[in-house]
Amino acid sequence: MRAVIVEGILADVDGVRPGQVRIEDGRIAAVGAGLGTPTDVFGDDCLVFAGMGDIHIHAREDVTGRDAHKETFATAAAAALHGGVVHVADMPNNPAAPVDDATYAVKERLVAAAGVDVAFTLYAGIGPGTRPLSREVPYKAYMGPSVGDLFFRSAEELEATLAAYRGRSVSFHCEDPVLLEKHRDAPTHEERRPAECELNATDLALRLTEKYDLTTKLCHYSVGAGLAAIRAARARGLRVTAEVTPHHVFFDTAQITDANRPWMQMNPPLRSPADRAALLEALRDGTADYLATDHAPHTAAEKQRGASGQPHLDTYGPFVTWLLRDRGFTPERVAAICSANPGEFVNAFRTDRHGRLLPGYVGSLTVLNLRRPTAVRREELRSKCGWSPFEGFTFPGSVAAVFMRGRRVFGEPGA
Ligand SMILES: [Zn+2]
């Protein structure tokens, strides 16, 4: 296969510099200067990152087909590429949840049958009475109610199951089911799921991390007051990382109106302006590790009926340009939270390596143009759900190109 040489301003965790990336047989063969005549050149308005990864999405396809109206692996992959995302990790809360070797293999075969370019890593679910798979996979534990039976009613029930998962990689949805029950009659969605639910669940997740030697990821972290506990746990030597979503750093409760309320509903819910600022700072200062979207492709009709979650794959790259241009994030920090850290997370379970501009890594690249704005329009979205919380908003930059294992699959030549 012909070598591809991409030239531009290369952005990785260890610096930003003009250079070239040579990709052969789908992998990065060399990074440097003067590697040869470039096949693709990007100008000073662009940054070339290692392919970005979104390690928390809900594609919804499963063997029952019950959620296929929301999104399939094919439409999720199309939305991901549109947003500059080359690999995703898909959550297990399907009607037919992957919870053991057999059900996990069924979902893997469905992904393979979809024949998409985007690399999928699959989480296995942890629910009452489940046991670890026979090989290493990432696990997701829902503490509070979710789809199907993948949730626990008490801390005791969660711990009784988790004891079998000693030493594994577990991602926690931190909302305490007992406290959720206590607030169930409060007037708004946000008041029914207050910060104390997440704070309590965080303490439990960290205690279980220590007791069972888990490698823990806290999903869609949203409460500023919980960040100190994460920092303290790391200082004690616990292996704990945290995701932050676009919605928790872009929206807050002060922006909820009667008109937009259904669209602004998710779990955990939007928090206060102070929480929003704290989470943005956590992403910037390293307390939080991943920009992960919790992409939830519910249809407009489902949202009107009270479904929780927002779709974010289509707008991932444009959103990142907002962090870079309007919120003071350095390219190195973006390389960490969008490429290197998500790559490190999935690489533990894969044979290919994602996330760095280094020889041996997958030859997948995300090129952002920081000067060409993106006006988010419904008709341009690729997600099957067909709407975005950012419709009408203009991000300061755009996705210039996406390379998948050396093949340019998105973007115009010479963008
Ligand atoms: Zn989720």
Side-chain angles (χ1 to χ4, degrees), residues 51-52 81 84-88 117-119 354 364-366 402-404:
M52 293 182 174
L81 286 183
V85 171
V86 309
H87 73 90
V88 295
D117 277 329
V118 170
H354 288 266
S364 299
L365 308 172
T366 301
V402 178
F403 292 82
M404 289 296 295

Side-chain angles (χ1 to χ4, degrees), residues 56 58 140 220 294:
H56 189 142
H58 298 266
K140 173 70 178 291
H220 36 55
D294 198 12

Side-chain angles (χ1 to χ4, degrees), residues 56-58 91 93 140 142 173 219-220 267 294-295:
H56 189 142
I57 75 151
H58 298 266
M91 284 295 169
N93 58 329
K140 173 70 178 291
Y142 292 87
H173 178 128
C219 294
H220 36 55
N267 306 325
D294 198 12
H295 173 79

Side-chain angles (χ1 to χ4, degrees), residues 85-173:
V85 171
V86 309
H87 73 90
V88 295
D90 188 47
M91 284 295 169
N93 58 329
N94 306 115
V99 295
D100 55 25
D101 285 319
T103 50
Y104 191 89
V106 166
K107 189 167 176 180
E108 276 190 315
R109 283 198 293 273
L110 273 183
V111 173
V116 295
D117 277 329
V118 170
F120 275 74
T121 302
L122 302 180
Y123 289 89
I126 296 178
T130 59
R131 305 275 307 171
L133 274 60
S134 59
R135 61 183 161 122
E136 291 301 319
V137 298
Y139 294 94
K140 173 70 178 291
Y142 292 87
M143 290 170 162
S146 181
V147 176
D149 299 322
L150 285 184
F151 70 90
F152 297 90
R153 288 162 195 83
S154 69
E156 293 72 23
E157 192 181 33
L158 171 64
E159 180 164 357
T161 295
L162 260 186
Y165 289 80
R166 175 175 288 279
R168 312 282 172 154
S169 167
V170 180
S171 295
F172 287 93
H173 178 128

